[in-house]
Amino acid sequence: MLDEKVLLYLGSLEYKQDQTAILEMEKFAKQTGVPIMEKMGFDFVRQILKLRKPKMILEIGSAIGYSAIRMALEAPNSMIYTIEKDIERYNIAVNNIKNFKLENQITIINADALNKNQIIEDVNQFDLIFIDAAKGKNKEFFELYEEKLAPNGIIITDNVLFKGIVASPENATKRIKPMINKIREYNEWLKNNPNYDTAIYPIGDGVALSIRKG
Ligand code: SAH
Ligand code: MG
């Protein structure tokens, strides 16, 4: 998405102190094709966590727990709720969360996030909602959960540029074309949503930051 040289340069600055267990999750994800958040995308999320200090975080799409765990480590005073519908990934995530001893900070729910869930219903408000599940369903997730967003809350959506293909849909294969079109519709809807200020950043796989207007 960014100039290749710029990306290489930024990658070379990566500090090399990541915990081994995090590197292992990254390796596992790569080997098994689990689409975890890209490093630079997470750099951005981390800064948001430090600036905003959200207490209550909702994540749609846990996969193996990678982003939830990283958020928990960067925002130790937060409570994180995360929803994953795939039972295999859910089980792996539960294990990873245990490995990091984060069971008290992360509540993981095995469910389809398109359905209302009692555990989430029982939470009053979230300060940050992170949408990172089925890319064609971003708007559904957004509309379903925004009623749970704090008045000054923020919503982050991952993969809104999907490997850059969102910007050149003519390059989309037949298989992914519907999803690419859905993301394009979502981005346009989001940018024009009068209740939020949204910026889309071309980092990681494209990250949208929507701040609810006061
Ligand atoms: N946030 C993770 C990556 C999530 S990948 C990270 O960065 O580490 C997207 C995940 O969303 C997949 O595991 C997929 O099974 C899950 N998913 C897709 N649709 C869903 C739905 N309707 N409800 C819950 N999870 C869903
Ligand atoms: Mg993602």
Side-chain angles (χ1 to χ4, degrees):
M1 232 165 316
L2 289 177
D3 178 84
E4 203 62 32
K5 278 193 182 152
V6 174
L7 275 179
L8 275 174
Y9 169 67
L10 291 175
S12 76
L13 294 178
E14 193 75 44
Y15 78 168
K16 315 272 188 274
Q17 289 174 7
D18 272 348
Q19 293 187 45
T20 320
I22 289 177
L23 295 176
E24 264 164 28
M25 280 194 290
E26 288 170 1
K27 205 167 122 197
F28 175 87
K30 203 169 180 186
Q31 281 167 352
T32 55
V34 178
I36 61 168
M37 191 166 217
E38 287 182 29
K39 278 186 188 168
M40 265 175 239
F42 188 78
D43 269 1
F44 176 76
V45 169
R46 182 189 52 229
Q47 304 303 72
I48 299 292
L49 294 175
K50 305 266 153 139
L51 288 168
R52 275 266 164 173
K53 303 180 179 63
K55 289 239 148 49
M56 298 294 288
I57 300 174
L58 171 64
E59 175 182 71
I60 316 294
S62 340
I64 59 169
Y66 174 80
S67 52
I69 288 168
R70 293 207 63 186
M71 287 195 283
L73 296 173
E74 298 290 355
N77 294 321
S78 67
M79 290 294 282
I80 300 177
Y81 289 73
T82 181
I83 310 174
E84 174 55 52
K85 74 170 179 188
D86 183 279
I87 182 70
E88 265 178 53
R89 287 185 178 175
Y90 164 84
N91 284 330
I92 296 169
V94 166
N95 246 321
N96 284 334
I97 292 164
K98 269 198 202 122
N99 274 345
F100 280 86
K101 300 192 170 54
L102 290 170
E103 304 99 307
N104 293 333
Q105 201 188 341
I106 303 176
T107 303
I108 181 162
I109 303 158
N110 179 216
D112 185 335
L114 290 170
N115 302 326
K116 289 218 160 169
N117 183 289
Q118 201 50 51
I119 299 173
I120 301 300
E121 286 299 297
D122 289 345
V123 176
N124 192 19
Q125 258 181 4
F126 292 97
D127 306 298
L128 168 73
I129 298 177
F130 178 48
I131 302 176
D132 192 18
K135 304 306 158 195
K137 297 277 194 280
N138 284 339
K139 185 162 172 256
E140 279 89 335
F141 295 130
F142 193 107
E143 289 183 320
L144 190 61
Y145 292 102
E146 69 172 334
E147 64 174 40
K148 285 280 170 191
L149 189 67
N152 62 345
I154 61 179
I155 299 185
I156 297 177
T157 316
D158 192 26
N159 312 98
V160 293
L161 296 174
F162 203 82
K163 302 173 202 255
I165 304 170
V166 165
S168 27
E170 67 281 3
N171 293 341
T173 59
K174 217 173 163 186
R175 189 177 62 87
I176 66 164
K177 191 147 216 144
M179 177 194 63
I180 295 296
N181 285 334
K182 278 280 189 180
I183 299 176
R184 288 176 65 90
E185 278 168 34
Y186 176 70
N187 289 346
E188 203 166 322
W189 172 80
L190 197 53
K191 280 292 285 183
N192 291 291
N193 188 325
N195 301 322
Y196 297 83
D197 286 314
T198 294
I200 294 176
Y201 297 95
I203 45 176
D205 199 30
V207 183
L209 173 60
S210 307
I211 303 179
R212 181 171 251 173
K213 289 184 187 169

